[in-house]
Amino acid sequence: MKPVSLIVFLVIFAFGFLMPWAVEGATRPRDKPGKCPFIRPALCIRQEPPRCRNDWQCPQRQKCCRDVCGIKCMNPAVVTPGRCPVVIGQCNKQRPINHCLNDSQCPRGLKCCRMSCGNSCVRPLPGPFVPVKKQ
């Protein structure tokens, strides 16, 4: 192989090798605000083809989310303002029951909060949301 063609080959190889890193690090629009709603696991008889690949393919505020049988545009989950009360105590049940998994599953004005024995819909306390660190 001639030295010139070897150099051309190495340049093309290096460019092809480094290209994915450049694309991953490139700035791109972030996802739309909000979170996808929680979908309870269920048996899907027929998987549907994806209707979107990212949030920007969805109209208005909708997000591209996983559904029971595929991926489609959905309204983001509702986040109730306020914060959850601090709960002290331990649950004696082996498998506590969650009555909700996010705020959109609670009646209007209530917030889904971790309680001593699973999640429940409760009246939020005033103030900003403070995430609880898992130990």
Side-chain angles (χ1 to χ4, degrees):
M1 193 176 238
K2 293 182 183 179
V4 174
S5 48
L6 180 61
I7 291 172
V8 171
F9 172 75
L10 289 175
V11 168
I12 291 172
F13 176 76
F15 182 71
F17 182 72
L18 296 174
M19 182 63 130
W21 290 344
V23 172
E24 284 181 27
T27 56
R28 65 176 180 82
R30 297 285 180 211
D31 293 338
K32 290 181 183 177
K35 292 184 177 182
C36 288
F38 174 77
I39 303 296
R40 291 195 184 277
L43 180 63
C44 181
I45 303 215
R46 193 181 105 227
Q47 195 71 18
E48 298 173 3
R51 296 185 188 162
C52 59
R53 286 187 302 226
N54 61 52
D55 290 353
W56 300 105
Q57 292 177 331
C58 298
Q60 295 149 1
R61 293 179 35 239
Q62 288 190 334
K63 296 182 65 62
C64 186
C65 302
R66 183 167 299 282
D67 195 16
V68 176
C69 291
I71 298 172
K72 66 181 185 179
C73 294
M74 302 173 80
N75 290 326
V78 174
V79 177
T80 304
R83 58 187 172 86
C84 291
V86 176
V87 177
I88 300 172
Q90 286 188 313
C91 183
N92 294 329
K93 296 179 184 176
Q94 276 192 315
R95 300 188 124 209
I97 297 172
N98 289 323
H99 297 285
C100 61
L101 293 168
N102 60 40
D103 294 350
S104 59
Q105 295 178 330
C106 293
R108 193 166 197 77
L110 297 182
K111 189 166 191 66
C112 184
C113 297
R114 180 176 295 152
M115 304 308 283
S116 60
C117 254
N119 296 345
S120 294
C121 294
V122 298
R123 187 178 314 274
L125 299 173
F129 169 75
V130 179
V132 177
K133 293 181 181 177
K134 293 184 180 182
Q135 296 176 356

